[in-house]
Amino acid sequence: MTATPVSPYQGRPGGENVFARITENVARIAEAPRPPPAWYVAFGISVALLLIFISNLALVAWFGVGLWGTMHPVAWGFPIVNFVFWIGIGHAGTLISAILYLLRQDWRTAISRFAEAMTVFALVCAVVFPGIHVGRPWVSYWMLPYPNQMGMWPQFRSPLEWDLFAVGTYATVSVMFWYLGMVPDFATLRNRAAGPVRRVAYGIAAMGWRGSSRQWHRYERAYLLLAALATPLVLSVHSVVAFDFATSQLPGWHSTIFPPYFVAGAIFGGFAMVVTLVVPARQFFGLASLIQIRHLELMNKIILATGMLVGYAYAMEFFIAWYSGVTFEQFAFVNRAFGPYAWAYWTMILCNLAAPQVFWWKAARTNVWVSLAVGIIVNVGMWFERFVIICTSLSRDFLPSSWGYFVPTAYDYLTLAGSFGLFFTLFLLFCRYLPMVAMAEVKATQPSARVR
Amino acid sequence: MAKPKQAGPVTPRPGVPNDDVSFDGLAPGVCRIATSAGVALLAVSVGLGATEGDGFRRFLHSYLVAFMYVLSLGLGALWWVTLQHLVGARWSVVVRRIGELLASSMPALAVLSLPIIASVLLESDRLFPWVDPSFMQSQSALAAKRPYLNPGFFVARWAIYFSFWTALGYWLLRCSLAQDATGGTGPLDGARKVSPLAMIGFAITATCASVDYIMTLDPTWYSTVFGVYYFAGCVIAIHSAMVLIVVFLQHRGRLTRSVTPHHFHDLGKMMFAFTVFWAYIAFSQLLLVWYANLPEETVWYRVRSQGSWFFVAVVLVIGHFGLPFFGLLSRHAKRHRASLSFWAGWLLVLHFVDLYFLIMPTFYPGGVSWRVPDLTTWLGLLALFVADVARRARGRNLVPSRDPRLAESLAFENS
């Protein structure tokens, strides 16, 4: 940063003009005739996994959910674990675009587009699972309240029904947020388009954006209002998911700290996923000057902070289980740590509590490879957290004669792996065709944009 | 505007240009009025407590509510100042010193907590039924809690909490005062470096304190989110208190140029945000307990939803969430001193109602049993708390005037 920043309206494009440099840096990715070779490799793997996903879903739809290991007493096996995992991933996007916006954290502009895209794709992955878990996916629409001749109406007292509306609202607002932010950038791509196809396609997406001051004024107002509307959604969605568990009487599920604990965990896992995606993307597409080590460090600090919040919830659950004096509560937690699923529990503790502790050191926070490694480890840990909550509690409840042990089948594993295929396919297409960094927003945070 | 200072300190204190940031002129008056009001109100409370003829049982109940109130101000301040260092906040530099002066009130709060500790040490079950060994033998679930609920460990925990809070509050203030003397960011490094660990320590101690002093009043009841609930109240209280303090100081010609509507706007945003957060936590706890309908949990809400306690619950829903939500929603309300200070005062009163609702129904399950000492003890402890803070503010700037980020905070604009 120079002492006297060059005015954004002067200088040669691509030279000392910082605005032009940002546009060039981001737009060239979508305009390049070919993506980097690594993109093809990643896309090939992702599409292969996506095909595995689709074929597994087809098999389950054809033969039934008996293909899974889901069986009494663990009636919520992998599908619900995966659902909660993917829903949680999305939270970082809303937090970055809504809460960090309201908190005036300008650094968010570098990663907001990524995180918002990730939110939308994670939601796509998430909603698949309850849809197939009901067993007859072709009547999944029965979950919706619509007038019908069957005299059927959803059970509104069930948190599972609340989920439908919580996730639906969340998906709607996330898509609107993502799209609204991209409108000025679509207009940039339209203006730079070399051929008619691109010009028309990006032109339709830009919805007649001309960049007039009136349009910018409306845009800023809309963005602020959407941010204010989306902020409660950061809390509400995963709180309702937490209600799915905590409204029950099952020891290990029924805990009043579940809603804020799930939210903290979701932000934790979501930020880890942002780091996991950002590190390779900035490397392959040469975005290091926009998504800087500084941004990585701040994300790692949030991962550390939310990881501590999750640790607080773990500790509080154990303390209250002991303090309550209720035998079943105490057993549920001893069983988690030392029962048949101890391997999953300690995997979770190592990944979620131990691994992020390296971020106490600046050298670790500012190292891309350490960040990437911890990001992946935390994602593994957060998947195991949901597995531990669901499977340990269900497998051993009040009555020892009804205990069991959940063993996932190959279809469970392949569906899980396949959902990553869906996620990464969508994400790689996003990297290829859409503006990966919010150009207009990043420009607004440059020192030279502060015209007084 | 700026008053000449007669009895100047040894080292000249640089102030803020065109602003009076000294509390010296006001301190004697505030201290005198607050101390005498506090002592008089407490004397009235003790006198009225004696007339009850129940061995000060009723008085101690009022006292616990009042103490948890002033403790929430101290804890809220401690958290707030630690947070500013943790995130490197720049907007808040102009009001940070007020937070530091509030946060260093822990020795006084430790003294004020002595009646509660005494009731446990004297093995009286006036406050905590678990002090009585025969009560603890009455249920198997209670007998299992003996390792936690016994007078020895209770007092040991109290000592740990207050040592930690006192040390932290003292350290945060000391680093900041050292900066007044030398300038530069160097002296604040100490505060910045301890802030992450201090935050962890705060989370553990504040949670355990809320469990110890409120949750264990009903030793069979438990809720994992209870610490967060009390914490939400602390955060609302501290931001509201800071608004009222700044408005009072500006009324007396202090900080008139340092603290602008932009700073009030941010304080108001925090009040608004944590009002919603409080409602979120309170609702989550209620919904989960109600839905699962487990006897050992619902008993707590059963008492609070019957008779006149139900109306207190309604007052909380409307007064602690509904009205301030709409009242603080607009930008206008947060930027104008009259409206913001109204809501700050409102929330501070409702915070008292909230603590009353957390504590009192356990003692009086039949319905609200209002006594004059409930009010006088609360106001008395509050006055003594104010006197303690005012005494510490004497001879010190109300703004960390040599913080290098002060210029940024003074020029801060809130869009």
Side-chain angles (χ1 to χ4, degrees):
Chain A
M1 199 182 299
T2 50
T4 49
V6 179
S7 163
Y9 308 108
Q10 293 164 2
R12 203 154 45 75
E16 63 271 33
N17 185 323
V18 64
F19 286 8
R21 268 210 317 268
I22 291 167
T23 305
E24 182 63 30
N25 207 346
V26 178
R28 73 187 156 81
I29 299 166
E31 289 164 357
R34 293 215 192 318
W39 186 90
Y40 286 105
V41 176
F43 193 70
I45 298 170
S46 302
V47 170
L49 283 172
L50 174 62
L51 290 175
I52 290 175
F53 189 55
I54 293 169
S55 51
N56 264 277
L57 295 183
L59 285 172
V60 168
W62 186 256
F63 291 107
V65 292
L67 292 181
W68 294 331
T70 310
M71 185 64 73
H72 271 293
V74 184
W76 280 9
F78 267 34
I80 304 299
V81 175
N82 298 343
F83 164 70
V84 181
F85 171 77
W86 282 116
I87 283 281
I89 292 298
H91 276 61
T94 334
L95 183 96
I96 290 167
S97 36
I99 293 187
L100 294 188
Y101 174 77
L102 295 181
L103 291 175
R104 299 187 299 264
Q105 299 295 309
D106 284 347
W107 61 273
R108 70 175 195 97
T109 54
I111 50 163
S112 61
R113 180 66 47 74
F114 260 102
E116 287 164 11
M118 185 196 78
T119 296
V120 174
F121 304 147
L123 275 167
V124 171
C125 295
V127 295
V128 170
F129 287 101
I132 51 166
H133 188 249
V134 294
R136 283 180 279 172
W138 54 92
V139 291
S140 286
Y141 64 93
W142 284 2
M143 287 188 273
L144 297 166
Y146 71 101
N148 58 68
Q149 78 281 28
M150 296 179 284
M152 197 180 65
W153 196 245
Q155 171 56 284
F156 274 95
R157 275 177 286 183
S158 165
L160 302 178
E161 185 66 21
W162 309 340
D163 247 354
L164 184 75
F165 294 97
V167 174
T169 314
Y170 185 53
T172 312
V173 173
S174 298
V175 170
M176 276 161 65
F177 225 142
W178 186 45
Y179 191 80
L180 181 75
M182 279 195 293
V183 166
D185 291 352
F186 279 138
T188 305
L189 290 176
R190 172 201 63 198
N191 295 352
R192 290 166 56 99
V197 178
R198 298 179 68 90
R199 189 164 61 242
V200 170
Y202 286 123
I204 290 169
M207 297 204 294
W209 180 266
R210 287 290 175 273
S212 70
S213 57
R214 178 182 293 238
Q215 282 182 337
W216 274 112
H217 178 72
R218 299 275 196 275
Y219 172 86
E220 292 289 341
R221 296 299 294 173
Y223 205 90
L224 178 66
L225 288 174
L226 265 182
L229 286 173
T231 298
L233 285 175
V234 179
L235 294 174
S236 72
V237 184
H238 230 56
S239 294
V240 173
V241 173
F243 290 162
D244 293 345
F245 301 95
T247 50
S248 73
Q249 297 178 339
L250 191 67
W253 283 16
H254 178 67
S255 174
T256 51
I257 205 169
F258 256 40
Y261 154 43
F262 267 45
V263 172
I267 294 167
F268 177 57
F271 265 87
M273 188 59 106
V274 177
V275 169
T276 311
L277 296 176
V278 152
V279 167
R282 74 193 276 279
Q283 226 67 5
F284 291 135
F285 293 110
L287 290 171
S289 65
L290 288 174
I291 304 167
Q292 299 157 1
I293 292 295
R294 184 172 68 93
H295 302 121
L296 207 57
E297 186 185 2
L298 288 162
M299 284 192 278
N300 289 337
K301 281 184 178 175
I302 292 185
I303 289 176
L304 179 59
T306 47
M308 301 307 275
L309 288 179
V310 170
Y312 172 87
Y314 292 167
M316 205 60 199
E317 282 193 312
F318 258 86
F319 168 66
I320 292 292
W322 172 75
Y323 171 85
S324 72
V326 178
T327 321
F328 301 109
E329 285 284 331
Q330 291 173 346
F331 173 78
F333 286 93
V334 171
N335 182 48
R336 257 182 205 180
F338 304 108
Y341 287 109
W343 57 274
Y345 179 81
W346 294 106
T347 307
M348 168 189 101
I349 292 289
L350 277 178
C351 294
N352 285 355
L353 289 189
Q357 303 305 321
V358 300
F359 288 149
W360 286 100
W361 288 274
K362 195 181 174 75
R365 288 199 298 268
T366 52
N367 182 309
V368 285
W369 302 114
V370 174
S371 307
L372 180 64
V374 174
I376 293 169
I377 291 171
V378 166
N379 274 310
V380 172
M382 284 309 292
W383 189 88
F384 269 97
E385 180 188 297
R386 280 62 176 249
F387 179 83
V388 165
I389 292 172
I390 290 175
C391 293
T392 61
S393 291
L394 282 175
S395 68
R396 291 188 161 186
D397 63 355
F398 303 95
L399 202 61
S401 63
S402 69
W403 286 2
Y405 188 81
F406 168 73
V407 183
T409 64
Y411 296 97
D412 282 310
Y413 289 118
L414 288 174
T415 314
L416 168 63
S419 67
F420 280 90
L422 174 59
F423 180 77
F424 280 108
T425 303
L426 292 170
F427 185 77
L428 288 164
L429 289 173
F430 156 77
C431 289
R432 179 72 188 92
Y433 294 107
L434 299 179
M436 230 194 302
V437 176
M439 292 182 265
E441 282 195 72
V442 172
K443 285 175 197 167
T445 61
Q446 295 302 309
S448 51
R450 302 274 156 86
V451 184
R452 282 276 149 86
Chain B
M1 191 69 76
K3 278 187 179 177
K5 289 186 277 285
Q6 271 82 35
V10 186
T11 47
R13 286 186 275 135
V16 175
N18 304 321
D19 201 0
D20 186 356
V21 295
S22 159
F23 194 62
D24 294 0
L26 287 173
V30 172
C31 279
R32 197 175 57 242
I33 294 170
T35 311
S36 44
V39 171
L41 284 164
L42 270 189
V44 168
S45 311
V46 173
L48 287 170
T51 61
E52 293 271 348
D54 57 357
F56 290 102
R57 183 176 286 268
R58 188 67 180 77
F59 168 75
L60 273 174
H61 299 165
S62 309
Y63 193 90
L64 182 63
V65 177
F67 173 71
M68 290 315 286
Y69 189 90
V70 285
L71 181 66
S72 73
L73 289 172
L75 283 179
L78 211 49
W79 173 80
W80 186 80
V81 178
T82 310
L83 181 74
Q84 305 312 309
H85 289 301
L86 184 62
V87 303
R90 293 185 295 266
W91 71 272
S92 60
V93 173
V94 290
V95 284
R96 201 187 70 219
R97 177 59 50 78
I98 295 170
E100 288 160 353
L101 291 169
L102 287 163
S104 46
S105 56
M106 282 300 165
L109 289 170
V111 173
L112 291 180
S113 68
L114 287 177
I116 294 160
I117 301 307
S119 85
V120 172
L121 279 180
L122 297 172
E123 310 222 325
S124 147
D125 64 349
R126 286 176 175 81
L127 284 174
F128 301 101
W130 50 261
V131 176
D132 180 8
S134 61
F135 175 81
M136 292 301 275
Q137 297 301 333
S138 61
Q139 289 178 36
S140 62
L142 287 178
K145 297 183 186 193
R146 290 286 290 178
Y148 193 78
L149 296 181
N150 62 76
F153 191 30
F154 182 86
V155 174
R157 289 198 301 271
W158 168 82
I160 293 169
Y161 305 153
F162 276 93
S163 323
F164 173 70
W165 296 336
T166 303
L168 179 59
Y170 171 78
W171 177 250
L172 293 173
L173 182 64
R174 203 186 87 140
C175 292
S176 186
L177 290 176
Q179 191 186 38
D180 276 8
T182 61
T185 48
L188 280 190
D189 280 350
R192 196 174 51 77
K193 280 184 180 145
V194 303
S195 61
L197 288 174
M199 201 52 112
I200 295 169
F202 173 86
I204 296 168
T205 51
T207 304
C208 290
S210 67
V211 168
D212 282 3
Y213 303 141
I214 304 180
M215 205 162 93
T216 67
L217 291 172
D218 182 350
T220 53
W221 189 73
Y222 55 87
S223 168
T224 41
V225 85
F226 196 79
V228 183
Y229 185 106
Y230 183 70
F231 162 77
C234 294
V235 178
I236 296 174
I238 189 60
H239 286 99
S240 306
M242 291 214 305
V243 166
L244 287 189
I245 290 169
V246 174
V247 168
F248 166 77
L249 290 170
Q250 292 197 334
H251 199 249
R252 297 301 165 98
R254 268 65 171 189
L255 306 181
T256 45
R257 288 172 195 247
S258 305
V259 183
T260 64
H262 301 289
H263 302 109
F264 280 120
H265 193 178
D266 264 10
L267 290 169
K269 284 179 189 172
M270 289 296 276
M271 282 160 60
F272 176 79
F274 275 86
T275 303
V276 179
F277 183 73
W278 173 90
Y280 163 64
I281 297 295
F283 172 74
S284 300
Q285 181 176 277
L286 168 69
L287 179 88
L288 295 177
V289 169
W290 169 79
Y291 204 110
N293 206 12
L294 295 169
E296 64 267 32
E297 287 186 354
T298 48
V299 61
W300 199 81
Y301 279 107
R302 182 178 165 78
V303 170
R304 282 161 181 79
S305 57
Q306 282 181 339
S308 43
W309 287 120
F310 177 73
F311 292 100
V312 182
V314 172
V315 165
L316 279 179
V317 172
I318 297 170
H320 205 300
F321 173 63
L323 295 177
F325 177 85
F326 291 107
L328 284 167
L329 192 55
S330 90
R331 166 188 162 85
H332 178 87
K334 293 190 279 265
R335 293 175 78 94
H336 287 77
R337 281 188 298 180
S339 51
L340 188 64
S341 52
F342 167 78
W343 286 114
W346 175 277
L347 283 172
L348 282 172
V349 172
L350 263 293
H351 178 50
F352 174 72
V353 178
D354 184 31
L355 289 173
Y356 199 86
F357 182 75
L358 289 182
I359 293 169
M360 283 298 196
T362 313
F363 300 122
Y364 308 100
V368 182
S369 125
W370 176 262
R371 292 283 190 286
V372 176
D374 293 347
L375 188 68
T376 52
T377 317
W378 170 46
L379 294 176
L381 288 198
L382 198 55
L384 291 180
F385 180 79
V386 170
D388 174 65
V389 176
R391 185 185 58 75
R392 226 168 315 109
R394 190 164 19 187
R396 280 153 188 178
N397 276 346
L398 293 171
V399 168
S401 47
R402 292 181 70 182
D403 192 314
R405 296 166 303 177
L406 180 64
E408 217 175 326
S409 181
L410 286 168
F412 167 63
E413 280 189 33
N414 209 334
S415 53

